[in-house]
Amino acid sequence: MTHRVSEREQGETAGALQSMRSITFIIGPVLFSQTFSWFIDPKHSVHMPGAPFYLAALLLFTAMSCRRGSDNRNEHERGQRVEYHSDVVPTSGVIPPEL
């Protein structure tokens, strides 16, 4: 993420990401527990205890699709592909794929 924004904007980016993370920590447990309770309730015709996992997969697929679309749009606007610096090691331990 730090390669995509200027040094000035890194604090704002980190703050925005932390805000989104906090919101998801509030919404996530409520959303998935309500989904689970609805799908295991005997008064409903559909009994699927794994529904929260299907919902998580759907949300992940949607996020990946949106992310991929934004990458294509940004590359088209700039007319170039995003370059990663090979001498910088990400702190998460995940090495970005070669583009």
Side-chain angles (χ1 to χ4, degrees):
M1 185 61 68
T2 58
H3 298 291
R4 295 178 183 255
V5 296
S6 70
E7 290 181 14
R8 260 181 353 119
E9 298 171 328
Q10 288 183 10
E12 290 180 20
T13 303
L17 289 173
Q18 186 60 34
S19 296
M20 291 300 294
R21 187 174 177 209
S22 297
I23 291 169
T24 59
F25 281 176
I26 294 169
I27 295 172
V30 174
L31 175 67
F32 290 107
S33 64
Q34 291 298 318
T35 302
F36 181 68
S37 68
W38 194 89
F39 277 99
I40 64 167
D41 193 354
K43 64 183 174 184
H44 294 108
S45 62
V46 179
H47 181 76
M48 186 172 31
F53 295 104
Y54 294 126
L55 176 60
L58 176 68
L59 292 173
L60 182 61
F61 179 75
T62 303
M64 287 173 30
S65 298
C66 292
R67 169 83 165 93
R68 189 67 193 145
S70 70
D71 276 352
N72 290 339
R73 190 171 36 254
N74 289 339
E75 288 175 10
H76 180 69
E77 289 172 359
R78 285 191 299 254
Q80 61 186 2
R81 296 186 66 85
V82 175
E83 295 290 328
Y84 289 99
H85 301 285
S86 60
D87 58 337
V88 177
V89 178
T91 57
S92 65
V94 178
I95 298 173
E98 293 297 324
L99 299 176

